Amino acid sequence: FSLKNGIITEATVYSDAMDADFIGQLPKTFIGAPFNSAELAARLQAVPGTGEQKKIADDIAAFFIEKAY
């Protein structure tokens, strides 16, 4: 993440997940968000996707919540 005044201005996501297209769309999900776990998790959980994609997003959201940024 790159931040300005606590707001995400750039994001990059690296993953070994098989669904590269889904992972590739995640960075734009974070742009403009305040850098805090609850907001990052909420944005991930709002991303549309298949059941497996939702599981990936939920796993990443849980990681953010656990880290308590």
Side-chain angles (χ1 to χ4, degrees):
F1 294 112
S2 293
L3 307 172
K4 182 172 184 178
N5 299 321
I7 303 297
I8 298 170
T9 59
E10 293 181 44
T12 303
V13 177
Y14 299 98
S15 174
D16 62 355
M18 297 300 291
D19 194 340
D21 291 335
F22 178 71
I23 296 299
Q25 77 176 355
L26 295 181
K28 68 182 177 207
T29 301
F30 301 119
I31 304 300
F35 186 71
N36 69 64
S37 293
E39 180 66 25
L40 298 175
R43 285 182 178 232
L44 279 167
Q45 292 166 334
V47 172
T50 65
E52 183 60 30
Q53 290 169 335
K54 293 300 252 179
K55 171 83 169 87
I56 292 168
D58 287 345
D59 287 347
I60 299 168
F63 171 80
F64 284 138
I65 294 297
E66 179 182 307
K67 294 299 176 185
Y69 298 124

